[in-house]
Amino acid sequence: MPTPETLERFISLVEANAHAEAVEVFYAPEAAVRENQSEPRVGRGAAMAREHAIHAKARSMTSRCVRPALVHGDHVAIHWVFDFEWLDGSTIHMEEVAWQHWEGERLLAETFFYDPAQRTPHKAER
């Protein structure tokens, strides 16, 4: 189970848009990450690569935890709100719930639950 301090440090890094750093610091080397019911990305390196790829497409982003994060033993649920502005000027507003399984101070497995329709970009108004 993560300590409250560990969980707050993790959330703070994500809210600072340091997503890949949060993965590097807190995910176990063998961590598995999945979105909805997709096949998991296995390994901290795969999770970091995904974060770098998303950031490379974004002009700007904001990441916010809707508190409280819920903790029960080794399980944590976090409600996230993300706003992206892509390089082409289109935007996405997403809300998701991350269901996490921690082993001590390391995140071992995570599933993001969200409505996939949110991933459709909105074109910039001219």
Side-chain angles (χ1 to χ4, degrees), residues 61-97:
M61 66 178 3
T62 59
S63 308
R64 182 173 60 89
C65 171
V66 179
R67 286 169 168 52
L70 304 176
V71 180
H72 183 76
D74 288 338
H75 292 91
V76 176
I78 302 174
H79 178 182
W80 292 110
V81 176
F82 299 104
D83 287 290
F84 300 91
E85 181 183 3
W86 302 117
L87 295 175
D88 67 1
S90 64
T91 60
I92 290 179
H93 174 82
M94 281 187 67
E95 292 197 40
E96 69 184 21
V97 172

Side-chain angles (χ1 to χ4, degrees), residues 33-39 41 50 111-112 114 119:
V33 180
R34 70 178 345 147
E35 302 196 28
N36 293 321
Q37 300 305 311
S38 68
E39 287 297 314
R41 290 183 296 278
R50 170 77 172 170
T111 301
F112 299 109
Y114 59 87
R119 295 181 70 172

